[in-house]
Amino acid sequence: MRMQHEAEICTALRRLSARQRAIASARRYYEGNHPMEYGRAEFRRSVAELFADFRYNLCPIPIEALVDRLQLTSVQTGGYDAPQWDETARTVRLDAFQQEVHREALLTGQCHVLAWDAGHGPRWFMQPSHVFELAVDEDTGDVLAAVKLWRPEGKDHFRLTIYTATHALRYTMASDISASSLTKLPVLTPYTEQGPHAQSHPFRVVPAVRFANRGGVSELRDLIPLQNALNKSLLDLLLTSEAYGIPQRYVLGYVLERDPATGTIRNPLPKGGGVWVFEGNEVQVGQLQAADIAALSTSIGDNEERFARVAGLPIHFVRMGGDMPSGEALRVAESRLSAKARGRTVEFGNAWEDLCAITWRTSGVSYDAAWAPVETVSERERLESAEAKRRIGIPDSVIWSELGYTEDEIAQMTEEAEARATRSAEIAMRAFSAGGS
């Protein structure tokens, strides 16, 4: 029996297979597992012997810089937090969960979140990009199904779960099948070890949402070659200083002598390390200067600047030195990073809104993702801005909310402010009465 949307499911599996190499590469570089390769064999040996574990890893910086700035505060409808928001945020532990989702999307180009209800209320589950993909209608872009394909540790088969608008269908699949060439689904064996093969869900749509970074592109795609160049320039410096970092001395016209006891050649300058000796009649002692490594040091700085420029980072994120910018200078230095973060709030915000609509099973309701400011703002600037808003009549409750106070804290502060106003009014009234008498 042919499965519904089989062609689209096969396309999704091929697309998932095609992304594996890029995903694995991005993860390796983020974790600092960089290849150290030199064209010349002697350099390859030197690197392996001296600097096998050396890494100067800048790749996490552009990822974490964006993760730090992408702080979803709520999902709203009609200008207020959606009624279900607090419970949902508390259930999934949103502070940590959103960082996990954003980091995966920024690093690998996309991430999926699955909504699921096992009978205890809806929950969200982050799906790593190397195991999960959506099957979509190529004409309309509608999501028809979602597929999760992985190989359990220690098993000789694949697990395949297909999520439709009504069910999750669980299968096993032979391990010798290549998803990269599928044009039709192979023989699938229903998987029943952990429950029924087909499990219904209440969401009425495919319960998964894609968080795409720049349409599915990793933030590291254009940075990996620059990371390689940076590693190369730094290793050049280390290898050069190791081999040629001290002056090389030579002796011309010296007759070499051997130690009669050991038979080894005696060093004519025993306290100075290695010496080049050329036998002859006239003795001359000289010295070859150590290599000038200033140009290599400059090359390292140049590669750091290239990395920061392509990543959209201020230079002080990747290289320490000089005065750290502050105030307006800091905002200017971080303007490209802030603009990039604002762009991601649009992409990821749409995904959070769709996820909430699926989870809460609402139709015809418009949701808006609310984010904390992406710019770096000092505590002093925040307080000065709050005072300026208060002077033009913005309610205290709104200002306190923008400063990050919770609803319970705002309610308590409002109650205390009203109590102080009441006492002040009573004192003024008593003073007025006493003056009148």
Side-chain angles (χ1 to χ4, degrees):
M1 181 177 177
R2 185 178 178 85
M3 180 175 293
Q4 188 179 19
H5 308 308
E6 180 174 350
E8 290 83 1
I9 290 172
C10 288
T11 299
L13 291 172
R14 291 196 302 271
R15 193 163 56 245
L16 180 62
S17 178
R19 290 175 50 83
Q20 295 301 308
R21 184 175 180 179
I23 292 171
S25 177
R27 292 196 196 284
R28 284 198 306 269
Y29 273 82
Y30 177 85
E31 294 166 0
N33 184 15
H34 309 162
M36 297 294 183
E37 298 181 357
Y38 273 80
R40 294 169 57 180
E42 61 269 27
F43 281 169
R44 289 199 299 270
R45 288 193 295 270
S46 297
V47 170
E49 293 171 1
L50 298 175
F51 307 112
D53 296 325
F54 174 82
R55 301 292 183 271
Y56 182 36
N57 189 18
L58 299 185
C59 288
I61 298 176
I63 303 296
E64 297 306 318
L66 287 171
V67 170
D68 290 344
R69 281 163 172 72
L70 296 174
Q71 297 297 322
L72 180 73
T73 57
S74 67
V75 172
Q76 302 178 344
T77 180
Y80 298 93
D81 289 358
Q84 309 92 327
W85 173 251
D86 285 344
E87 178 63 26
T88 299
R90 184 167 48 251
T91 300
V92 301
R93 298 181 176 179
L94 181 71
D95 288 348
F97 183 78
Q98 66 171 309
Q99 288 191 357
E100 185 181 14
V101 171
H102 295 157
R103 183 178 293 110
E104 178 73 5
L106 293 165
L107 176 59
T108 66
Q110 67 178 29
C111 174
H112 294 86
V113 176
L114 175 71
W116 196 250
D117 189 342
H120 307 289
R123 298 285 303 275
W124 292 342
F125 300 90
M126 193 276 282
Q127 303 297 317
S129 57
H130 66 284
V131 301
F132 204 92
E133 187 59 83
L134 297 181
V136 299
D137 186 308
E138 293 185 0
D139 292 328
T140 65
D142 293 338
V143 177
L144 305 177
V147 295
K148 182 175 182 178
L149 178 67
W150 76 104
R151 185 170 184 170
E153 185 175 356
K155 301 295 184 179
D156 60 354
H157 61 263
F158 286 114
R159 286 279 310 279
L160 173 65
T161 301
I162 301 174
Y163 297 92
T164 71
T166 57
H167 289 80
L169 309 173
R170 298 179 172 88
Y171 302 96
T172 61
M173 190 172 78
S175 60
D176 59 349
I177 294 174
S178 173
S180 62
S181 59
L182 283 179
T183 56
K184 65 178 181 178
L185 288 174
V187 175
L188 301 176
T189 302
Y191 180 79
T192 58
E193 292 183 15
Q194 298 176 335
H197 148 65
Q199 184 175 357
S200 63
H201 65 75
F203 298 106
R204 302 191 298 273
V205 294
V206 177
V209 171
R210 180 186 186 224
F211 289 74
N213 181 66
R214 294 192 295 166
V217 178
S218 168
E219 287 294 316
L220 298 186
R221 185 191 65 177
D222 299 329
L223 297 175
I224 286 175
L226 296 175
Q227 176 68 68
N228 289 336
L230 181 59
N231 289 340
K232 171 69 164 56
S233 60
L234 191 51
L235 281 170
D236 284 345
L237 174 64
L238 295 174
L239 290 171
T240 300
S241 64
E242 174 71 18
Y244 309 110
I246 60 175
Q248 301 292 313
R249 289 176 295 176
Y250 62 85
V251 178
L252 302 177
Y254 181 78
V255 178
L256 295 173
E257 299 178 358
R258 292 183 179 274
D259 188 311
T262 63
T264 59
I265 295 176
R266 290 176 173 172
N267 188 342
L269 301 172
K271 295 183 179 180
V275 178
W276 294 359
V277 178
F278 302 89
E279 293 186 296
N281 296 324
E282 297 182 6
V283 177
Q284 297 180 23
V285 178
Q287 177 173 286
L288 302 176
Q289 294 301 314
D292 182 3
I293 61 175
L296 296 175
S297 298
T298 301
S299 175
I300 294 171
D302 291 344
N303 282 324
E304 288 174 328
E305 291 180 6
R306 293 186 186 101
F307 188 98
R309 185 164 57 250
V310 173
L313 297 172
I315 188 61
H316 65 268
F317 272 50
V318 299
R319 185 174 66 192
M320 300 301 294
D323 296 331
M324 290 288 292
S326 60
E328 187 62 28
L330 178 62
R331 277 190 287 276
V332 171
E334 295 185 352
S335 58
R336 282 191 63 201
L337 178 61
S338 297
K340 182 183 287 190
R342 281 192 293 273
R344 300 304 178 272
T345 62
V346 175
E347 287 186 302
F348 296 164
N350 291 338
W352 287 114
E353 293 159 13
D354 292 344
L355 181 62
C356 288
I358 291 173
T359 305
W360 301 333
R361 286 167 257 173
T362 54
S363 60
V365 179
S366 177
Y367 293 109
D368 296 297
W371 300 85
V374 298
E375 296 83 3
T376 301
V377 181
S378 68
E379 186 66 19
R380 177 180 177 180
E381 290 173 317
R382 292 175 69 236
L383 294 177
E384 288 176 350
S385 174
E387 181 60 28
K389 290 179 179 180
R390 185 177 186 182
R391 285 197 296 269
I392 63 174
I394 303 297
D396 286 344
S397 59
V398 174
I399 297 173
W400 292 336
S401 177
E402 292 176 349
L403 290 174
Y405 291 99
T406 66
E407 291 185 1
D408 290 341
E409 290 170 333
I410 292 172
Q412 181 178 351
M413 290 189 293
T414 301
E415 183 179 343
E416 292 173 353
E418 291 174 349
R420 287 195 300 270
T422 300
R423 288 196 298 271
S424 296
E426 292 174 350
I427 292 172
M429 181 61 69
R430 287 197 295 269
F432 177 80
S433 300
S437 63

